[in-house]
Amino acid sequence: MPKHQVVVPVAGDLDLDSTPWLAGELLAAVASGARSVVVDMRDVSFCDCCALNVLRTSSESAHDFGVRFSIQGPLAPVVGRLFQITGADQELPVHDGT
């Protein structure tokens, strides 16, 4: 029986070096049969545009599979700023708190 929700915890810097790992983790979560995927970014200190693209692509894939996709915050200020500047804050639901 598939899980209702899969949480993908990420921490530290999300950048070009970590995007292959992130893409693999998110693909596995979306394909797991869960109804919801939550990316826990509370411990992410930095996120570049490569990692942001992985988040956006994964969100689109989740949508195609009928899976809800969201980000668990609060986001570090630099990460929140990237989301704001790029408009990702309008595309990717970010939920603060526990």
Side-chain angles (χ1 to χ4, degrees):
M1 179 174 201
K3 293 181 182 179
H4 174 69
Q5 177 176 301
V6 173
V7 177
V8 179
V10 291
D13 292 348
L14 293 181
D15 55 20
L16 181 62
D17 291 337
S18 60
T19 55
W21 171 84
L22 180 62
E25 291 293 309
L26 295 179
L27 176 63
V30 168
S32 72
R35 291 186 238 157
S36 174
V37 172
V38 178
V39 185
D40 184 346
M41 293 184 59
R42 291 177 288 181
D43 293 325
V44 172
S45 53
F46 175 80
C47 180
D48 73 5
C49 59
C50 295
L52 181 58
N53 188 49
V54 168
L55 292 170
R56 285 177 155 158
T57 302
S58 298
S59 175
E60 291 168 7
S61 295
H63 178 73
D64 292 345
F65 280 93
V67 176
R68 285 176 299 193
F69 188 92
S70 62
I71 308 293
Q72 174 68 51
L75 301 176
V78 68
V79 176
R81 182 75 175 133
L82 175 68
F83 274 51
Q84 181 184 30
I85 289 170
T86 62
D89 60 340
Q90 301 301 309
E91 300 170 32
L92 301 169
V94 177
H95 304 285
D96 288 349
T98 57

